[in-house]
């Protein structure tokens, strides 16, 4: 599957919805697992602001890639973000879109607190 790197340099990113387990099966509540590592996957909604435009993006990230307290409004750093185009057919209707995945989502709130203390 094609992956397109996303340049997050110069963007302001903050948590819109805190991380939660990515659900593979809504009927059973089964949590999605990464095929390569076997680690549980999480989703996190972030507000991505760049060049005067703001978007809410839903990122998928390994559970181990979520670090720090990520409450709504927390500024975060993103590592290794890629966009993946997707397409599927369900009930005779074709759907398509772009999914986003990150290697890590890290709270920057601690760094801000350390700067104020210095």
């Amino acid at each position: 599957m094609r992956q397109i790197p996303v340049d997050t340099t110069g963007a302001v990113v903050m948590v819109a919805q805190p991380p939660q387990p990515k659900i593979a099966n809504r009927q059973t509540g089964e949590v999605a697992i990464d095929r390569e590592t076997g680690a549980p996957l999480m989703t996190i909604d972030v507000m991505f602001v760049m060049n005067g435009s703001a978007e809410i993006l839903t990122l998928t990230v390994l559970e181990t890639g979520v670090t720090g307290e990520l409450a709504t409004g927390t500024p975060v750093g993103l590592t290794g973000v890629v966009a993946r185009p997707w397409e599927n057919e369900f009930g005779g209707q074709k759907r398509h879109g772009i999914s986003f995945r990150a290697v890590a989502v890290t709270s920057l709130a601690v760094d801000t607190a350390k700067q104020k203390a210095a």
Side-chain angles (χ1 to χ4, degrees):
M1 176 182 289
R2 181 175 167 96
Q3 295 185 22
I4 304 163
V6 177
D7 181 9
T8 60
T9 307
V12 174
V13 185
M14 66 183 73
V15 176
Q17 289 291 324
Q20 49 194 309
K22 182 173 183 170
I23 304 299
N25 184 325
R26 290 186 181 151
Q27 292 177 334
T28 66
E30 176 187 359
V31 175
I33 303 295
D34 182 68
R35 292 179 185 167
E36 293 177 17
T37 65
L41 293 171
M42 306 288 286
T43 61
I44 180 170
D45 291 348
V46 297
M47 183 172 68
F48 189 91
V49 182
M50 189 172 206
N51 300 328
S53 180
E55 304 233 5
I56 300 294
L57 303 179
T58 299
L59 298 169
T60 299
V61 63
L62 293 176
E63 185 176 63
T64 56
V66 176
T67 55
E69 185 65 34
L70 300 181
T72 300
T74 303
V76 293
L78 304 178
T79 304
V81 179
V82 293
R84 296 178 177 174
W86 60 268
E87 181 177 281
N88 64 24
E89 189 171 334
F90 184 76
Q93 294 195 357
K94 288 191 175 188
R95 298 176 48 182
H96 63 277
I98 299 173
S99 64
F100 295 91
R101 183 147 178 173
V103 171
V105 178
T106 307
S107 172
L108 298 178
V110 173
D111 293 341
T112 303
K114 285 181 183 176
Q115 288 175 358
K116 287 182 181 177

